[in-house]
Amino acid sequence: MGTWDLLNIQPTELKVLFEVKRQSSCSIQLTNKTDKYVAFKVKTTNPKKYCVRPNAGIVLPRTTCNVTVTMQAPKEVPPDLQCKDKFLLQSVVAPDGATTKDITPEMFNKEDGKVVEEFKMRVIYIPANPPSPVPEEPEEDSSPRASVLENGHQNRLLFDAVSRSLEEPKEKSSEEWSMISNLTEEKASALQRNQKLHQELDLLRKEISKSRAGGLSLFVVVLVGLLGVLFGYFVK
């Protein structure tokens, strides 16, 4: 706090929030600790950059007045966020009942033993987005776009795996049903041939029993052997 005979000034430094292409404001509190009317005036080394409201006024006895300082939107970031701008606040005793309209530049001239108090303030930039204390690893891309792409890729792989798992049982089931159908047809065909073979053997036996020959001929033996071989093949 700046403590003078006429005014208490808060704060002693102007801390301005710095952000490119955006205005920023801060305030100065002036407290009149006397029983007199006090006139004040605010000057700056860079008037085109700052807007001060009010830049001059009267602080009534034992009262407080707030001054708003607005910095115009900066176009670029200065090196190391250093600022060389300064403010000068002048205060002087004014006549009782004085108003802002009664303030003149001559009131702040240091002539004829007039006491003009002056208080200098420097400007300090405060970054709006301070850097993170933990450095980011360049190998990993943690941006929202990278996260969406990575999640999309994982979802695609999962979808393909599920699709394959659903398609494989269908193909396998189709092959099994085809094999079962073929085996069923072969079994039915084998049964039909087996039944026909039995009928031929019965006829052969009847012919042999009716034969007048005392023994079996060589032809009959060969035929029976051949039929036996065929019967064994179909049974397997």
Side-chain angles (χ1 to χ4, degrees):
M1 177 185 296
T3 303
W4 303 90
D5 292 337
L6 300 178
L7 297 177
N8 285 344
I9 302 171
Q10 244 183 347
T12 57
E13 295 176 332
L14 283 180
K15 296 182 179 181
V16 182
L17 194 65
F18 187 91
E19 188 171 0
V20 177
K21 298 181 180 180
R22 181 166 296 186
Q23 288 186 351
S24 181
S25 299
C26 61
S27 63
I28 306 173
Q29 188 178 75
L30 308 179
T31 301
N32 184 355
K33 59 181 182 178
T34 70
D35 294 326
K36 301 177 181 180
Y37 283 69
V38 176
F40 72 89
K41 185 175 183 180
V42 182
K43 297 180 180 180
T44 177
T45 57
N46 197 342
K48 293 183 179 180
K49 185 177 179 180
Y50 300 94
C51 177
V52 182
R53 290 291 181 271
N55 61 349
I58 299 290
V59 185
L60 301 181
R62 308 294 176 180
T63 62
T64 298
C65 175
N66 289 325
V67 177
T68 301
V69 178
T70 301
M71 182 180 69
Q72 303 302 320
K75 297 181 180 180
E76 58 184 8
V77 180
D80 300 328
L81 281 180
Q82 295 297 320
C83 182
K84 297 180 180 180
D85 301 332
K86 291 181 175 60
F87 281 80
L88 176 65
L89 194 149
Q90 295 177 308
S91 59
V92 65
V93 175
D96 291 345
T99 64
T100 303
K101 295 180 180 180
D102 298 325
I103 298 176
T104 61
E106 290 76 14
M107 293 178 63
F108 300 94
N109 292 336
K110 297 178 182 180
E111 297 177 354
D112 301 332
K114 184 186 301 182
V115 177
V116 179
E117 293 186 353
E118 294 184 343
F119 184 77
K120 295 180 180 179
M121 308 176 68
R122 67 185 184 123
V123 179
I124 299 177
Y125 289 152
I126 305 298
N129 298 313
S132 175
V134 179
E136 298 180 356
E137 297 182 2
E139 292 82 8
E140 297 180 358
D141 189 355
S142 58
S143 64
R145 178 180 175 84
S147 299
V148 170
L149 293 176
E150 183 178 356
N151 292 335
H153 180 65
Q154 292 178 353
N155 292 337
R156 180 60 181 273
L157 293 178
L158 180 60
F159 177 77
D160 293 342
V162 173
S163 299
R164 287 196 300 270
S165 64
L166 292 175
E167 292 174 357
E168 289 176 359
K170 293 181 180 179
E171 295 176 356
K172 185 175 181 181
S173 177
S174 178
E175 293 177 359
E176 290 178 352
W177 279 112
S178 178
M179 185 179 297
I180 292 173
S181 178
N182 292 336
L183 291 175
T184 302
E185 293 178 358
E186 292 179 1
K187 181 178 179 181
S189 179
L191 290 175
Q192 291 178 359
R193 289 194 294 270
N194 190 18
Q195 185 178 5
K196 186 176 180 181
L197 182 58
H198 278 289
Q199 292 176 357
E200 291 178 354
L201 287 175
D202 291 340
L203 292 175
L204 182 59
R205 290 193 189 96
K206 291 179 181 179
E207 290 179 359
I208 293 174
S209 62
K210 293 179 181 180
S211 178
R212 295 179 182 179
L216 295 175
S217 64
L218 179 60
F219 174 78
V220 174
V221 174
V222 173
L223 181 58
V224 172
L226 180 59
L227 291 176
V229 173
L230 292 174
F231 177 77
Y233 173 79
F234 288 120
V235 169
K236 291 180 179 179

